[in-house]
Amino acid sequence: MDYKSSLIQDGNPMENLEKQLICPICLEMFTKPVVILPCQHNLCRKCASDVFQAANPYWTNRSSSLSMSGGRFRCPSCRHEVIMDRHGVYGLQRNLLVENIIDIYKQECSSRPLQKGSHPMCKEHEDEKINIYCLTCEVPTCSMCKVFGAHQACEVAPLQSVFQGQKTELSNCVSMLVAGNDRVQTIITQLEDSCRVTKENSHQVKEELSQKFDTLYAILDEKKSELLQRITREQEEKLGFIEALIQQYRGQLDKSTKLVETAIQSLDEPGGATFLLSARELIKSIVEASKGCQLGKIEQGFENMDYFTLDLEYIADTLRAIDFGTDEDEEEFIEEEEDQGEEVSTEGKEEGHQ
């Protein structure tokens, strides 16, 4: 902190300097101030020890040879966390510069006369300083208010005793609050770790699940390819057989067509001897051809491929039913509760009959 700029801005540099020398825990001037590295904030060594003990209740003291780590210390001013060594707070460096400034400040204050207005004055009695504390109303007041004013019937106490008591109480509250903040920070850290672990576990489960489904996809693709190849082979065999029959029938048709042409030419022959030379063989060939071809045929439904149709509905139902077992666990839990309820009701009825 820039002490020079603060002193220039404030009309009373001594009061502003005093504010810079106040411990944030006990609210009093530093006593054996120690530096919290690396944030450079200062605390009384005792206050730092109280805060450290509250945040690390299981810490073994520095005299123990088994203590290897002093635990964690969180600065109450900026919340910066420091990992302490086995010496704990006693391992922090003393701030000799601040101690010297405090000594100089105290010497300066002791040599300066008390200025008017430096002490709070009573609002009811402007010339009276506030020097007592009303325990009944829980407010500071002056002696005139106790003798003649609004606090005549109230119980009062010296201002200094109440001042020390409330300052101690406030210091304890600050220590408790700092320790509570450390516990809350610990819980936050644990929750953040839980978030991280949850994300890591989810990622791992997703990877494993993806690998298993990829395996299923590969099996299905393999089965699909195998079945498609079988259908293709069956198609090729049937088409080959049918095309062979078509060629045979076409050959038969060509042969019959040629016989018809030959017969027509013979019918146009005017000479009887010439006609008779080929007529008998031609008639025999036509009769043989007209009896019907003896070529192969295909059976009814030969072109049907329905026997390759698969009923995969039961497999689809099985795939749809895949889950992590949550629904089954809930159903079992509900069934157990119902069974227990029936047992209780049965026992009640039996007791009633007895």
Side-chain angles (χ1 to χ4, degrees):
M1 180 176 291
D2 190 350
Y3 291 99
K4 184 176 180 180
S5 60
S6 301
L7 295 176
I8 294 175
Q9 293 175 2
D10 201 316
N12 193 332
M14 294 301 293
E15 291 182 1
N16 190 64
L17 178 60
E18 182 180 359
K19 293 178 183 178
Q20 310 301 323
L21 302 176
I22 296 298
C23 173
I25 300 298
C26 64
L27 303 180
E28 295 184 353
M29 198 165 295
F30 288 119
T31 302
K32 296 181 179 179
V34 292
V35 180
I36 304 173
L37 299 175
C39 66
Q40 296 296 313
H41 287 118
N42 296 278
L43 288 178
C44 297
R45 186 164 65 182
K46 181 180 181 304
C47 295
S49 178
D50 293 341
V51 173
F52 180 72
Q53 289 289 346
N56 300 270
Y58 301 106
W59 177 71
T60 56
N61 58 31
R62 60 174 179 166
S63 62
S64 175
S65 60
L66 299 177
S67 178
M68 299 300 295
S69 175
R72 300 174 180 271
F73 184 86
R74 193 177 298 277
C75 176
S77 298
C78 65
R79 311 303 300 157
H80 183 83
E81 189 176 73
V82 180
I83 305 299
M84 310 292 286
D85 60 14
R86 64 187 182 88
H87 299 289
V89 172
Y90 293 93
L92 296 175
Q93 295 182 357
R94 290 271 297 274
N95 195 332
L96 300 179
L97 175 60
V98 174
E99 290 188 27
N100 293 334
I101 293 175
I102 291 174
D103 292 340
I104 296 173
Y105 173 81
K106 290 181 178 179
Q107 293 176 4
E108 179 68 18
C109 290
S110 62
S111 62
R112 292 165 59 92
L114 184 63
Q115 298 180 2
K116 184 178 181 179
S118 61
H119 195 285
M121 309 301 288
C122 179
K123 294 182 179 180
E124 299 295 331
H125 308 90
E126 297 181 356
D127 294 334
E128 294 292 329
K129 298 178 181 179
I130 294 178
N131 54 4
I132 60 175
Y133 187 85
C134 178
L135 300 175
T136 304
C137 302
E138 296 184 344
V139 293
T141 184
C142 71
S143 301
M144 295 298 293
C145 289
K146 170 59 180 173
V147 178
F148 304 106
H151 300 283
Q152 295 183 36
C154 297
E155 183 181 357
V156 298
L159 192 67
Q160 190 65 22
S161 62
V162 179
F163 163 74
Q164 293 296 336
Q166 289 196 2
K167 181 171 282 193
T168 301
E169 182 180 357
L170 180 59
S171 177
N172 294 334
C173 289
V174 171
S175 299
M176 290 174 57
L177 185 60
V178 170
N181 291 341
D182 289 337
R183 287 192 292 270
V184 171
Q185 183 62 44
T186 300
I187 294 174
I188 292 174
T189 302
Q190 292 175 349
L191 293 176
E192 291 175 346
D193 291 340
S194 298
C195 288
R196 177 182 54 79
V197 174
T198 300
K199 291 179 180 179
E200 292 176 354
N201 291 340
S202 298
H203 179 73
Q204 180 179 357
V205 171
K206 287 180 180 178
E207 290 292 332
E208 294 176 355
L209 189 62
S210 297
Q211 292 177 1
K212 291 180 179 180
F213 272 91
D214 289 341
T215 302
L216 292 178
Y217 298 152
I219 295 174
L220 291 174
D221 287 337
E222 182 180 354
K223 289 294 181 181
K224 176 182 176 182
S225 299
E226 180 182 345
L227 290 175
L228 290 176
Q229 289 176 3
R230 288 175 57 187
I231 294 173
T232 301
R233 286 196 300 269
E234 186 73 10
Q235 173 188 341
E236 292 175 350
E237 290 176 1
K238 287 187 174 184
L239 291 178
F241 181 76
I242 294 173
E243 289 174 354
L245 287 179
I246 292 173
Q247 293 297 326
Q248 292 176 12
Y249 278 100
R250 283 178 177 173
Q252 182 66 32
L253 180 60
D254 291 341
K255 184 178 180 181
S256 298
T257 302
K258 290 179 179 179
L259 284 174
V260 171
E261 293 176 354
T262 303
I264 293 173
Q265 291 176 358
S266 296
L267 291 174
D268 293 337
E269 181 63 41
T274 304
F275 174 80
L276 291 174
L277 288 173
S278 60
R280 179 57 58 186
E281 290 296 329
L282 184 59
I283 291 171
K284 184 179 179 180
S285 298
I286 292 174
V287 170
E288 291 292 333
S290 63
K291 288 181 180 181
C293 61
Q294 302 298 322
L295 300 177
K297 296 181 180 180
I298 60 174
E299 298 178 356
Q300 186 177 0
F302 178 80
E303 67 277 4
N304 193 356
M305 304 287 283
D306 292 342
Y307 49 86
F308 283 105
T309 302
L310 297 178
D311 183 10
L312 301 178
E313 187 61 29
Y314 71 98
I315 297 179
D317 293 338
T318 303
L319 293 176
R320 294 189 189 98
I322 294 177
D323 57 14
F324 291 100
T326 304
D327 295 337
E328 295 179 359
D329 294 342
E330 291 180 354
E331 291 176 359
E332 292 177 359
F333 179 74
I334 294 173
E335 291 177 357
E336 290 178 359
E337 286 189 340
E338 292 177 351
D339 294 340
Q340 292 177 359
E342 291 177 358
E343 292 177 358
V344 172
S345 61
T346 304
E347 292 176 358
K349 290 179 180 179
E350 293 177 352
E351 293 176 358
H353 288 306
Q354 292 175 358

